[in-house]
Amino acid sequence: MENREEVLGFKPQKDKIYNKFLPNAEKVDDESIAAFAEIKGNLAKAVLLRDIKVGASFWVGQLTRYIRLYGLKFSKEDHVLLIKLLFELSTIPDLELSLVPKFSTQLVALLKKQKLLTREDLELPWKPVYQLVENVAYSPYEHHGLQLFPQNMEHELKNLVNYCRTYFPVSATQEMLDEWRPLLCPFDVTNIKAVHYFEYFLPTDLPPEHHDKGFKLWLDEFLNMWHSYQNAPTWEAGLVRLFARLAHDTIGYIDWSPHVSMVFNRFIRSFNLPVGMQKVQVGRSNNTYDIGATITWIVSMMGGPNGAVVQDHIDSFFKALQSFFHPSNLGKWNIKLSGLLMNFPKLVVKRIHRERYKRKDWLLEIPADYKLKDAEITRFVKSMQPVVSVSMFSKYGSHDSAIALRHLANMRPELIIPDLLEKMYPAMENLIEPHRLTACMNCVVAVSRPMLSARKWYPEGRSHVLPLLNLALPGIDPNDFKKCLVTFQMISTFVAQVPIVDCSEAVFVRDDLNEEEKELCSATAQFEDFVLLFLDRVFALIESSTQEHTHGDPARLNPEQTMMEVALSSTFTSVLLQCSTPIYEAALSRLYNFITTSVYETNVGGRFAANLCRAAAKANPKAAVDKFLPLFCQKIKDLMAEHEEYRTEEHLDDGFLWNLLMLSQIVRCNGEVLVPYKDQLLEVLQLTLHLKCVQGYELAAQLMRYILRALTLHYPLDYRSIADSFDRPVTEYLAINDWAKPGDMDNLGMKWHIPSAKELAFGQSLMDHLLQPELEKIMSLSSANPMEKEELVRRLNITLECILGAGAALPVWKSTAVDLSSLNVKTQVPMERFPVSSVTEPLDIHYKGANLRLEVVKTMKHLLKYLTECTEDDTKSLSKLVKIYETVLFFYGASKQDFDARWKSLHSVKEALEDKMRDRRKHIRALLVDRVVLQHEMRMLYGLRDYTDHHQDILVDLYNLSVSRYGEVGNNDADL
C-alpha cells in the first residue's frame, strides 16, 4: 500500500479502508481533501458569526456525512481542534436543547477511537458537562411540562460523559468528591443522585502513577458503604457498575479477593430463584445487579495470584444454577439466566483478545502476572460446558446457547465441538424430535467457523462438513417451516466458507498430503452428489409451496413464505457461487430440466423458481443466459403469435406468466452478456408491456427495469470466498486449503461491472423505443382527448419502471438554483453540501437530447393538470404520479430503504461469523465485497442535488395533492 502521508500531505487518523476498492477510487482522495477544507472553513465561519442554530448545525451535519464516507480522514491536530470546538458547542450555557444531541452525537463519534488520542493530546474540563447533565437530568421544569427534551436526550448525554471521561484532568477525581460527597446520605434521596454522578463521571482509567489521585481516594469508602447495606437499595446498582468499570480498567492493580464471596452471593440472590418444593423466594425482588456490569467485574477479577479463588466461585456458581437452565424449569428467571449465559463467555473472549491479540496502544496494559493462562481458560470453558449443554434445548429457543457456544468454541474448539457433534448426529438421524434437531443445528451453525479454521487444535473438524451437509438435506421439509429455515441457514453458512470443488484426484497426483488431508480430498468427491440432491429437495419444496387457494391478496406472500423465499434464494445463490465449473454445469442442466418441464402459479411457486434462475445467472452469467434466455424469449413470442386474444385478456394462463417471470429474473446479471440478445429482448418488451392483464404488464415492466439496471449500474461480478478461479488443476491449487479462509484486505480482487458504450447504447435504445411513446401519449391528453384509467396506469407504470431501472444513468437537470433567503433561512454561511461522486465518468441516457428527468417532470405536470380538471377520482393514477415524482427527485441507482435493510443484515451476518478473540477483521470475502458495495451505494445516496426552481414547482404540486379530498392520494403525498 502506498504511503498515505505522502499522497494526502498529512497522516490520516483513521481512513475508511473500503474506499480504495471503489470503482472511482482514484477520485476519492481529492474529493475528501476538498470536502474537509470546505467543512472546516464554513464551520469556523458559522461559529465566528454566532450562527449556531442554522450555520453550525448544518456544517456539523456535513461533518457527520464526511465521517460516514471517509472515516476520520484528517490529521491529529485537526482531530483535536474539532473535538474542542464540538465540546464548546455542546456545552454552551442555555443552548437550545434540540441542538445538544446533534453536537454531542458528533463529538462522541470523534472521541470513540480512544487509541488515536492520548491524554497528552487532549484534556477536557468536566464541569461544563456536569452542568449540562444537571440541567437536563434534574430539570425543575420538565415534570410541569414547561420544558420538552428531544428523544433519547439522556442516553446521548450518558454517551457523551462516557467518552469524555478518559480525557478529564488528573485533579478531576478530588474535585468531584468535593462536589458530591456531601450528598452521600444513605437515608436521603440525594444519595441516589450522588451515586449516579459518581458512576458516570469518576475517571477509572488513570495511569498507575496517578492512582493515588484516582480510585484510591474513594474505593475503600464506597466498598464499606456497599458492604453495609444488605437490603438491595436502589443506589446499589450504580455502585456495582462503578466497581465493574474500575475492575475492568485496572486489572492487576487492585486486590479484590476479600470481596469475591460477597459479589457472587449478592449476584446469585439478584436472580430471585425459588428454593425447595414450596418455591420460597429468597430475599425480596431486586434488579440492582446489571448482568453485563456484574460479569465484567467477575471476569476482571479472574487470573493472577487469586485467580483460583475466583474460578472456584465460578465453578460453584454454575453448579448451583445448572438445574435452573434445564428446559423443563421455566420461570421469569430464565431471561436473566440467558443473559448470563451469553455475556459470560463473550466478556472472557474480550479479555483474552485484549491480553493477547489487541494491537498495543497507550491505554493501560494488564501486568503479565495477571493475564489469563491457558489452564485457567480451559478450566473456565469446562465449568460452563455442562450448563450450555443443558440450556441448548430450552423452550425459549437455543439462540443464547448458540452465542455462548460460539465464544466457547473460539477459546477451546477441541472441548466444545466434539461434545456438540455427539448430540448432533443422533438428532439428525431421528425424525421425531424436531425441536432437538433445530436446537442442535442452530448451535452447529454458531460454531462453524472455529470448526473449520481451528486446524491446530481440532484438525478433524473439517471432516464433519460433508456428513453434516448430507444429513441436513432431509431438513428441507415443506411441512416444517422452522426446521426448513434452520437447514437453509446451516447449508448456506458452511457453503459460504467452503469452495465446492472435487479434489479427490489430488490423492493420486500429489505426494505432500497427510492422512487427514487425503481423507478430506477423497470425501470431496461427494460434493456433486450433494449439490444435485440439494437441488432435488429444493424442487420438491417449490412443488409443495404452490398456492392453490388463499384468503386475501393472492399476489402477496404471507410472512412465512417471504422468509422462506429469502432463505431459499440466498442459500441457492451461495451454493452455486461456490461451485467449480463442472459441478455448476451439472446443477445448471438439472435446473434447466426442472424449469422447462414445470409450470406453477407465479405468486409463490413461480417466485421461488424464478429466484433459482436469478442465482444461476449471478453465479455464471454467460452460461445461464445462453441456456435460458433464447428459450424464454422464443416461448413468449410463440405464445403471443398463437393467441391473439392474450393482448386483451384480463387473466392470462400460468404458462405464459411463468415464462415471463423466469425471463425477468434471468436478466439480473452482468449486462454485458445481455447485449447480444438486445433485439430479442426489445421485441419481447414491445409485445408484453401493453398487455391488458395487470400481472402480465407488471412482469414485463419489471423485466425492463432489471435489464436497465444490469446495463447501467456499477456492481461487483464476483462474491466467491476466494478471488482466484476454482478451476485450476489440483497440482497447483488445492481447494481444501481455502476452507474458512478469511478475505485479504490487501488483495481483495474486486471485479466491478463498469457500463460499456454498447450497454449504454442498448439502454438508450430501450428508452427511445419504450419510454418516448409513453411520454408523448401522456402529453397529448386533454379533455377532448381522454384516456381510459387502466391504460393510463399502465403507461405510468412503464415510466416509473424506466426511471427505477436507469436511475444511475439519468443525471439531475441543470437549472436555476433557488436562493435560500427566499425560503426565509436566515444565515450568512454558505449552505451547500459538498459533492460526492460514485462513478469515474458520469453516464447520460437522454430524451431526444434533453434531460430525461426534466422531460418526465414536464409530462407529469401536464398529466396532473389533466387529472385535477377531468378525473380527480383516479386515485390509482395520482398515486403512481406521486411515486414517479419521488423517484425522479430521489432515486439515482440506490434506495435508502434497501440500503438500510442490507446494512443491518450485513452486520448481523458479520457478528455471527466473526472471531472476536483473535483478529476481528478476518471476515469472509463475500462479506467484505458486500461492505464495499454498501460503501459505493452510500456514495450514490449522498450524491449532490441542487435545490432548483423545478424542485420548487414539484413541491407546490405535492402540497396541492396532499390536501386532496381522496385520503389515499393525500397520505402517499404527505409521506413523500
Side-chain angles (χ1 to χ4, degrees), residues 761-909:
F762 179 23
Q764 184 66 60
S765 148
L766 286 175
M767 290 297 199
D768 294 344
H769 284 93
L770 304 172
L771 182 63
Q772 207 169 308
E774 306 306 320
L775 295 183
E776 285 168 358
K777 195 80 178 168
I778 293 170
M779 276 304 265
S780 68
L781 286 175
S782 66
S783 50
N785 181 24
M787 187 187 287
E788 281 187 20
K789 288 181 183 178
E790 287 78 12
E791 189 187 343
L792 180 57
V793 170
R794 188 161 60 241
R795 291 183 187 279
L796 287 173
N797 191 56
I798 294 170
T799 308
L800 175 64
E801 296 287 359
C802 277
I803 305 167
L804 283 170
L810 305 178
V812 71
W813 54 78
K814 290 181 173 61
S815 185
T816 315
V818 174
D819 185 23
L820 289 176
S821 58
S822 66
L823 302 175
N824 290 328
V825 177
K826 295 188 175 88
T827 180
Q828 291 171 280
V829 184
M831 289 184 61
E832 291 174 4
R833 300 164 75 193
F834 62 83
V836 177
S837 68
S838 54
V839 293
T840 312
E841 288 296 321
L843 312 175
D844 186 6
I845 288 178
H846 50 79
Y847 177 87
K848 299 180 186 173
N851 183 288
L852 194 141
R853 286 181 192 268
L854 192 53
E855 292 305 313
V856 170
V857 169
K858 288 175 182 171
T859 310
M860 292 306 115
K861 284 184 80 65
H862 172 78
L863 174 64
L864 184 58
K865 190 179 171 194
Y866 162 78
L867 288 172
T868 45
E869 286 174 6
C870 304
T871 55
E872 201 190 348
D873 62 338
D874 187 358
T875 56
K876 280 187 178 174
S877 295
L878 282 167
S879 296
K880 270 274 190 278
L881 184 144
V882 171
K883 187 73 183 156
I884 289 171
Y885 265 160
E886 182 184 355
T887 311
V888 163
L889 286 172
F890 301 120
F891 186 79
Y892 288 82
S895 96
K896 180 83 173 78
Q897 203 176 355
D898 179 44
F899 174 84
D900 289 342
R902 284 181 44 219
W903 184 269
K904 204 173 167 184
S905 146
L906 174 91
H907 282 82
S908 60
V909 175

Side-chain angles (χ1 to χ4, degrees), residues 161 192 299 322 578 642 790 814 827 925 940:
V161 177
I192 297 170
V299 169
Q322 187 168 345
Q578 291 288 90
E642 284 170 32
E790 287 78 12
K814 290 181 173 61
T827 180
R925 183 173 174 272
M940 290 166 87

Side-chain angles (χ1 to χ4, degrees), residues 813 818-819 822-823 861 947-958:
W813 54 78
V818 174
D819 185 23
S822 66
L823 302 175
K861 284 184 80 65
Y947 186 72
T948 64
D949 49 353
H950 293 298
H951 289 89
Q952 189 88 329
D953 293 346
I954 294 172
L955 190 64
V956 172
D957 287 348
L958 291 170

